[in-house]
Amino acid sequence: MKKPIRSHQLFARAQHILPGGVDSPVRAFQAVGGSPLFIRRAAGARIEDVDGNRFIDYVMSWGPLLHGHAPSGLVTAIAVAARRGTSFGAPCALEHELGERVRALMPSMERVRFVSSGTEAAMSAVRVARAFTRRDKIVKFAGCYHGHADGFLVKAGSGATTLGVPTSPGVSKAVAADTLLARYNDLPSVAALCKTHKKTIAAVIVEPIAGNMGVTPPADGFLQGLRELTARHGILLIFDEVISGFRASPGGAQSILGVTPDLTCLGKIIGGGLPVGAYGGRADIMKLVAPAGPVYQAGTLSGNPLAMTAGLWSVKRLTPGLYRNLARRGAMLAAGLADAARAANVPLQVNAHGSMLTPFFTSKPVRDYESALAADTTAYATFFGGMLKRGINPPPSQFEAWFLSAAHTDRDVEQTIVAARAAMKAVKRKAS
Ligand code: HOZ
């Protein structure tokens, strides 16, 4: 790897205009040390920094790039759409075409509203849930991340945990008081809240396959139990499938795990990686959303033709073969990382679900936020540095997911495992 001199220069300059030199915290590399690489282009499974270093990418724009970076068909489709106009602020047919496709894949989304990000989707879903139930409180799980709206920044995963501010300053006490915390994979913790806060909880929001404390799959029966509990207490169940939607399967986690939520949130994955999100669900709930009903939510860029075009291109290509290959390569990578750690005598737990995985540097199983936090973040940082040096780009935080795409080949995965063997040895050397 060439010295990232140009990246350093750009980062230094960015500090004078962007807080911390970036527009989203995790990418600043604070959790892994050093300074971030500035990327000038990406194609397929590879990204290239401004100093000419090329990496096999496992960040994949944090998940949505199921078909890899910049597939040529997608780029052409966006270019054609852009020539017709980039934003209308008026309805276009692409919106209901994509909406119908989303519903066909996820039948629980009887009505869909497009927005511009997963954050917007989650905050809007909660607003509708509150209006529908006429209750104020929500239950979220420690370590789950639902974007950065105030009510979710209480023990939030992802960047909030990475930076050590899981509960952000700036969230008012009143807002925080309406967010109740439960433990992921721990139904009794939810049951206890339902009992204490009878008839005041509007919704339980959950990542059905948690990705933002690192990949943490649901324990058997956890989601089914949530479904029963919420139905019994008149509480709406919201699945945040910003990460798992279309990645876990064409119908998201809900289709493979067999649990139907009342509302679902989707993110950039339905826009083929462009800035987009959506929320939707039962028609009787969604009819409250303006202008059908009184719950206000709006956005000029919502349903914009570029994002809708990219989304249509992307969802039309969710073939069984795509998922078979993603799962096979995901399993290959997970096994390779585990072997590399064993060979170097480094304690590691690899949590995986299909094409997403997280290697946690700990000897104990990770099934919730507490056990995720027990992972050795210093070891992860050493491992990350070792991988980067060898041409592999993992996420710059222990508490994020690695993502594969259709563009990753068996050779890419093999190359990654070879790099992991060397990087694990460095972790061991540093620890002893
Ligand atoms: N919080 C995002 C991942 N779960 C990272 C966003 C970014 O830095 O782009």
Side-chain angles (χ1 to χ4, degrees):
M1 179 183 171
K2 280 180 257 163
K3 263 195 156 198
I5 296 169
R6 186 88 189 103
S7 276
H8 286 173
Q9 288 166 344
L10 291 175
F11 192 46
R13 181 169 159 195
Q15 303 283 344
H16 297 288
I17 177 70
L18 310 174
V22 291
D23 279 316
S24 190
V26 186
R27 63 180 77 162
F29 274 30
Q30 279 187 7
V32 287
S35 68
L37 300 175
F38 279 60
I39 304 305
R40 68 177 170 205
R41 64 167 72 95
R46 283 178 169 65
I47 54 165
E48 184 181 308
D49 72 10
V50 287
D51 291 280
N53 295 304
R54 297 187 81 223
F55 303 90
I56 301 173
D57 188 23
Y58 290 100
V59 176
M60 299 310 287
S61 191
W62 304 98
L65 306 182
L66 265 182
H67 304 285
H69 285 283
S72 60
L74 174 68
V75 173
T76 306
I78 295 172
V80 170
R83 273 185 226 114
R84 297 195 193 110
T86 52
S87 170
F88 305 134
C92 70
L94 297 166
E95 297 165 65
H96 61 255
E97 276 177 40
L98 182 57
E100 284 159 5
R101 291 242 173 204
V102 169
R103 179 172 58 191
L105 293 167
M106 274 187 194
S108 74
M109 294 185 80
E110 294 170 353
R111 296 287 180 275
V112 178
R113 166 60 60 89
F114 288 106
V115 290
S116 294
S117 68
T119 290
E120 264 186 84
M123 82 184 190
S124 310
V126 163
R127 185 180 303 144
V128 183
R130 285 183 167 135
F132 184 80
T133 56
R134 297 168 195 257
R135 300 173 179 180
D136 286 342
K137 297 199 184 295
I138 59 163
V139 172
K140 84 171 274 291
F141 294 89
C144 282
Y145 179 74
H146 308 289
H148 61 86
D150 281 1
F152 298 128
L153 290 182
V154 182
K155 285 224 178 164
S158 189
T161 287
T162 302
L163 295 194
V165 285
T167 304
S168 174
V171 174
S172 73
K173 285 196 184 73
V175 168
D178 277 339
T179 302
L180 308 172
L181 277 176
R183 270 168 77 129
Y184 197 75
N185 277 332
D186 181 352
L187 266 184
S189 73
V190 186
L193 289 173
C194 293
K195 204 168 156 204
T196 317
H197 299 274
K198 258 202 170 77
K199 300 211 165 122
T200 58
I201 300 173
V204 170
I205 183 164
V206 65
E207 291 179 78
I209 301 168
N212 283 299
M213 52 181 136
V215 174
T216 309
D220 283 349
F222 174 59
L223 297 172
Q224 285 79 359
L226 275 186
R227 180 62 287 182
E228 282 159 26
L229 202 57
T230 47
R232 200 177 330 131
H233 287 271
I235 296 168
L236 298 185
L237 180 60
I238 306 177
F239 273 7
D240 179 340
E241 295 229 43
V242 166
I243 288 183
S244 56
F246 307 127
R247 179 166 278 282
S249 83
Q254 54 194 268
S255 103
I256 46 174
L257 300 170
V259 178
T260 306
D262 300 299
L263 294 169
T264 297
C265 308
L266 297 170
K268 45 209 173 253
I269 201 156
I270 44 153
L274 266 72
V276 64
Y279 65 102
R282 279 169 41 193
D284 61 326
I285 302 172
M286 289 300 287
K287 76 173 187 213
L288 290 183
V289 178
V295 177
Y296 198 71
Q297 182 273 306
T300 295
L301 291 174
S302 301
N304 79 83
L306 299 189
M308 298 297 102
T309 298
L312 278 164
W313 186 93
S314 193
V315 298
K316 282 179 189 166
R317 284 159 183 80
L318 303 180
T319 60
L322 168 77
Y323 290 94
R324 259 197 315 275
N325 282 329
L326 283 173
R328 188 174 60 74
R329 296 203 175 102
M332 193 174 151
L333 180 57
L337 292 175
D339 281 350
R342 243 188 323 271
N345 203 13
V346 169
L348 192 81
Q349 304 284 322
V350 185
N351 278 7
H353 198 288
S355 60
M356 49 197 254
L357 60 91
T358 299
F360 287 99
F361 285 81
T362 171
S363 55
K364 303 224 174 76
V366 173
R367 57 188 312 274
D368 56 22
Y369 190 48
E370 238 172 52
S371 42
L373 289 182
D376 180 348
T377 51
T378 309
Y380 185 84
T382 306
F383 179 69
F384 171 85
M387 295 298 271
L388 210 57
K389 206 161 74 185
R390 293 172 177 86
I392 314 294
N393 187 47
S397 164
Q398 169 68 96
F399 307 110
E400 298 283 358
W402 298 38
F403 296 103
L404 286 118
S405 75
H408 288 82
T409 61
D410 285 0
R411 266 197 86 190
D412 292 333
V413 175
E414 280 156 14
Q415 200 178 320
T416 307
I417 294 168
V418 171
R421 284 199 200 112
M424 285 294 177
K425 284 188 193 146
V427 172
K428 185 69 191 172
R429 268 197 307 277
K430 203 154 177 207
S432 36

